[in-house]
Amino acid sequence: MQWIDEGIVLGVKRHGETSVILELMTQARGRHLGLVRGGVGTRLRGVLQPGNSLRATWRARLDEHLGNYAVEGVNLRAAGFLTAAHAVHGVTHLAALCRLLAEREPHPAIYGALEDILDHLDEPRLAAPAIARFELAFLAELGFGLDLESCAATGTTAELVYVSPRSGRAVSRAAGEAYHDKLMALPAFLRDDAMPASPADLASAFALTGFFLDRHAFAPRGLTVPEARAQFVTTIARALAAAESRSA
């Protein structure tokens, strides 16, 4: 058995003295593992870094086997993350999300969104809203998408500023005003990509997506939301504040 595909490095685990087990998010085959012989050597060490894009050839005698990878770098973007704390934590967080997906099941939309985010992860103003939107899309991919198209109470599509934590549905300003302390804020940029995202909007967005990720993605598996997510939210806020002060 053999196939060739592009993939994004999610992580590596040492195997024996010189090899590693490489975990890729591939374009056509989803999350897929394989053995890379010599993966701990200097030739491949910089290639097999989380966030890099590779061209991978996988070979095995049978499809159900672990198999072996032969890889070559396509976009070695990970080196650029080392100077930005939010990027390092962001890669770790995104990889943790992808590990919730079943192995060898294709998720082309997730792959495409992941690649787009990684290409701009070192740019805080682009990365922050992109990851919040990615988390929403990831929930939908798992079958737990939020309904943000119309008000749960009235059906209106205007002034949707809240989300019900019970139903995951949007609520309009008028319908939710009396219950606003029990509802979660819905930043406009989560519904409209053209809308800007202020620091307060981003904080509300990450509170919203974090709540539903914990409920639907991590807690049912007996897991807690990885610390890398909280570290990303903290460091991206700092990076945005620093960028704002420089431009002032």
Side-chain angles (χ1 to χ4, degrees):
M1 304 275 311
Q2 175 177 315
W3 51 256
I4 299 173
D5 199 359
E6 286 201 6
I8 295 165
V9 178
L10 299 180
V12 295
K13 182 178 180 181
R14 188 153 184 163
H15 185 81
E17 293 186 5
T18 62
S19 300
V20 299
I21 295 176
L22 171 64
E23 183 181 28
L24 291 179
M25 186 67 187
T26 65
Q27 190 171 36
R29 293 166 177 82
R31 189 168 65 89
H32 204 292
L33 279 66
L35 185 72
V36 179
R37 300 190 186 279
V40 300
T42 55
R43 185 179 68 85
L44 289 176
R45 191 177 302 148
V47 175
L48 303 180
Q49 293 298 313
N52 281 343
S53 290
L54 314 177
R55 185 174 185 267
T57 302
W58 181 86
R59 296 183 180 92
R61 190 169 64 85
L62 297 174
D63 185 61
E64 59 266 25
H65 288 176
L66 174 64
N68 294 280
Y69 273 136
V71 299
E72 58 181 295
V74 173
N75 185 341
L76 303 185
R77 59 173 77 84
F81 299 158
L82 299 179
T83 58
H86 74 271
V88 174
H89 296 309
V91 169
T92 305
H93 167 49
L94 292 167
L97 286 180
C98 289
R99 289 191 185 99
L100 298 176
L101 301 171
E103 288 186 52
R104 305 189 180 195
E105 290 186 2
H107 295 274
I110 291 296
Y111 177 88
L114 182 61
E115 192 169 46
D116 287 344
I117 289 173
L118 291 171
D119 282 341
H120 302 97
L121 190 56
D122 58 343
E123 304 174 55
R125 289 184 175 127
L126 298 177
I131 287 189
R133 294 186 184 108
F134 180 87
E135 291 182 335
L136 273 185
F138 190 84
L139 283 164
E141 193 79 3
L142 293 179
F144 300 105
L146 306 189
D147 183 354
L148 306 181
E149 298 304 313
S150 61
C151 176
T154 65
T156 183
T157 58
E159 288 202 293
L160 301 177
V161 299
Y162 302 114
V163 175
S164 166
R166 294 184 62 183
S167 67
R169 295 190 62 189
V171 179
S172 68
R173 187 185 305 278
E177 191 60 36
Y179 312 98
H180 70 276
D181 57 334
K182 297 180 180 179
L183 301 173
M184 306 188 77
L186 172 57
F189 81 90
L190 288 181
R191 298 188 65 246
D192 184 352
D193 290 353
M195 294 294 291
S198 69
D201 289 335
L202 289 166
S204 295
F206 285 123
L208 178 68
T209 55
F211 175 84
F212 286 101
L213 282 171
D214 182 40
R215 174 189 284 182
H216 295 305
F218 289 100
R221 295 169 170 82
L223 303 172
T224 57
V225 178
E227 182 62 23
R229 183 182 187 274
Q231 292 171 332
F232 168 76
V233 172
T234 299
T235 53
I236 197 77
R238 290 175 184 161
L240 287 167
E244 186 67 24
S245 65
R246 287 193 298 269
S247 62

